[in-house]
Amino acid sequence: MAPALAAAATDSPPGAGGSALIAAAIAVAGSSIGAAFAVAYTGSAALAAMSERPEIFGRAMVVVGLAEGIAIYGLIIAIILIGKA
């Protein structure tokens, strides 16, 4: 009888795992949409700058890569949330 009481005390409330999964989905969706807008704007600006000065290709791609990092941060948050579910 005592192990059943101990297991009941450590269980999370029903539905807590589902809310963590929804939060993970929102984190991934929001960060991916934000990264898409960031890459679109920085990518077009980088192409415009490279058309005038082709030697800045490396710096332009670094800026676009930093914008893509936003999606990776959202994915990391989602993994943490799923791990807690």
Side-chain angles (χ1 to χ4, degrees):
M1 188 71 133
L5 291 175
T10 59
D11 286 342
S12 61
S19 62
L21 295 177
I22 291 173
I26 291 171
V28 170
S31 65
S32 296
I33 291 171
F37 281 118
V39 168
Y41 290 127
T42 57
S44 65
L47 284 175
M50 284 189 296
S51 68
E52 294 179 9
R53 293 180 49 206
E55 66 271 7
I56 64 168
F57 173 77
R59 283 184 271 168
M61 289 301 111
V62 168
V63 172
V64 174
L66 288 173
E68 188 60 35
I70 298 169
I72 295 171
Y73 295 143
L75 182 63
I76 290 170
I77 295 297
I79 291 170
I80 291 170
L81 287 171
I82 290 173
K84 303 242 184 219

